[in-house]
Amino acid sequence: MAGAVFIAAIGQSNAASLNTMNDVGTAIQACWTPPADAGNSTVTLSFSFKRDGTLIGPPKPTAIKVAGDEKARQAFVDAATAALRNCLPLSFSPALAKGIAGNVFTLQFKSPKQ
């Protein structure tokens, strides 16, 4: 079963126990700082969590829309990947941890940050 998270809200620290996938998306978005010259760009990453709040393997870009050349594209994807990794490990509530392991989730990173 795959879950989808498309969250642009900011404000939850990843130090708190996360109860829902919306909480997870909010926590990750709080770590996101788009590159300064990214224009109106987006990248969607696909990833899976372990119960301990770390990733199962590397995140994979599934949709990329970046203004500029290949270097700008790679910089934007790298910034999104770094934002995700820098937020980890996340602290899942016991109920969320029980059901999260191995499911594939997606999250869109936007510039400018909204």
Side-chain angles (χ1 to χ4, degrees):
M1 178 177 174
V5 182
F6 291 101
I7 303 296
I10 309 301
Q12 172 133 0
S13 166
N14 66 345
S17 182
L18 304 170
N19 297 306
T20 68
M21 286 311 300
N22 282 343
D23 292 346
V24 172
T26 300
I28 294 168
Q29 287 290 342
C31 296
W32 169 234
T33 302
D37 58 351
N40 188 16
S41 300
T42 63
V43 64
T44 301
L45 297 180
S46 174
F47 50 89
S48 297
F49 290 106
K50 298 178 187 175
R51 289 183 181 167
D52 66 2
T54 61
L55 292 179
I56 299 172
K60 294 178 175 70
T62 58
I64 303 169
K65 180 184 168 193
V66 177
D69 60 10
E70 180 60 30
K71 185 176 177 182
R73 182 178 185 264
Q74 191 61 51
F76 195 86
V77 172
D78 289 347
T81 301
L84 176 59
R85 287 194 174 145
N86 290 340
C87 266
L88 302 178
L90 294 174
S91 177
F92 301 135
S93 68
L96 185 58
K98 183 177 179 182
I100 204 168
N103 288 319
V104 178
F105 299 98
T106 58
L107 183 63
Q108 186 177 57
F109 294 82
K110 296 181 182 182
S111 176
K113 190 170 182 175
Q114 300 172 1

